[in-house]
Amino acid sequence: MKQHIIIFILSVLATCPVINASELTAAADSAYLGKNYIEAAKLYQAEIDSVGPSSALFYNIGNCYYRTGSIPRAILNYERALKLNPRNKDAKANLDFINSRLTDRPGERGTFLGSVVDAVASTFSANAWAIIAIVCFALFGAGVLLYFFAGGVHAQKTGFFGGGIMLLLAIVAVIFGLRAAALASATDRAVVIAPSVILSTAPRVPTSAAEEAFMLHEGSIVEILDEVNVKNGDETTTWLDVEFDNSPRAWINADAVEVI
């Protein structure tokens, strides 16, 4: 009897439709075209959960949230799209447009040199920088061979100086690749998803005006420097020590933000 039940269950399961990744995308695209943006966002997220994250999927989710007026979640997903693919021009264009309309517009962060390095590193993904480094190193090897085995002085000079330049470029590509990988895997930036939030000078809700640091509005991006868990009775609240565009450090409730 038990064997018959198992066979019956397996036969029922065999007739159930299974939605694969491509079908999820098609269903999400259909929902989006039908202006059912919340459902589309859920389906795109389901595909991410199924096959893993991709810049295109995060970009699509960002579009869904923008259509529903959820600006902070649109920013969150555009930022995630750019973390995976810094050359996603559509995500960059949409993010720049939204940022231009924010109450708290993002400004310069960090030192000038650091900003330049990050900007260059973000030009390509870590994998692209790795390919560039490999190609440059291969050309360096070709230059070494040319220097040692070429018959003419001119060819030897070309191999020597050309190989040296390729070696230097390979090292630079490795440095930028490591930085690009660090930026892509970093979890130290978060988007304010609350409509507005008052940051505190201490890891608790401000009890006076003196403990109020400043206010941020939805869509603002903060850099996470530290976090603490504060226990109040049976409840534990996580507070994040953050910085916004080189402003003084302050504390924000972790529930008010979402990590990129």
Side-chain angles (χ1 to χ4, degrees):
M1 181 66 180
K2 184 182 295 185
Q3 183 178 6
H4 291 297
I5 294 175
I6 294 175
I7 294 174
F8 173 75
I9 293 174
L10 291 176
S11 64
V12 171
L13 291 176
T15 60
C16 292
V18 178
I19 299 180
N20 58 33
S22 59
E23 289 174 339
L24 284 171
T25 299
D29 292 343
S30 177
Y32 186 89
L33 292 175
K35 298 183 179 181
N36 191 351
Y37 302 119
I38 297 299
E39 179 64 20
K42 290 179 179 179
L43 290 170
Y44 286 130
Q45 184 61 53
E47 181 163 356
I48 288 177
D49 296 337
S50 174
V51 301
S54 78
S55 181
L57 290 174
F58 280 129
Y59 168 72
N60 289 343
I61 295 175
N63 288 341
C64 292
Y65 281 118
Y66 178 76
R67 291 290 188 177
T68 63
S70 180
I71 299 303
R73 296 202 175 276
I75 291 175
L76 176 69
N77 284 280
Y78 288 145
E79 288 280 358
R80 287 174 173 172
L82 289 170
K83 278 184 69 174
L84 294 177
N85 179 15
R87 298 179 68 81
N88 189 328
K89 295 180 180 180
D90 292 331
K92 182 68 166 61
N94 288 6
L95 184 61
D96 288 343
F97 173 75
I98 293 178
N99 284 337
S100 68
R101 302 164 66 91
L102 291 179
T103 302
D104 307 314
R105 296 187 182 183
E108 294 295 328
R109 300 174 59 87
T111 63
F112 173 76
L113 180 59
S115 298
V116 171
V117 171
D118 287 351
V120 175
S122 298
T123 305
F124 300 104
S125 66
N127 289 338
W129 281 116
I131 293 173
I132 293 173
I134 292 171
V135 171
C136 289
F137 193 78
L139 293 175
F140 161 71
V144 172
L145 293 175
L146 187 64
Y147 174 76
F148 282 106
F149 298 104
V153 175
H154 179 72
Q156 288 180 326
K157 287 184 177 180
T158 301
F160 180 81
F161 290 107
I165 292 174
M166 289 300 105
L167 178 60
L168 179 61
L169 291 177
I171 294 173
V172 171
V174 168
I175 293 173
F176 283 130
L178 292 174
R179 183 55 185 164
L183 291 173
S185 61
T187 57
D188 60 348
R189 297 171 69 235
V191 177
V192 176
I193 57 175
S196 63
V197 58
I198 297 177
L199 281 72
S200 176
T201 58
R204 60 174 178 267
V205 177
T207 57
S208 65
E211 291 187 352
E212 295 180 359
F214 51 88
M215 176 183 288
L216 288 178
H217 298 83
E218 63 178 9
S220 301
I221 295 180
V222 296
E223 180 182 357
I224 302 172
L225 305 174
D226 197 5
E227 71 174 65
V228 296
N229 293 318
V230 179
K231 192 171 182 62
N232 185 11
D234 295 332
E235 295 185 357
T236 300
T237 304
T238 301
W239 287 85
L240 303 176
D241 182 12
V242 301
E243 187 177 50
F244 174 74
D245 288 345
N246 295 319
S247 63
R249 295 170 62 164
W251 294 89
I252 188 171
N253 191 315
D255 292 337
V257 302
E258 189 163 341
V259 176
I260 295 173

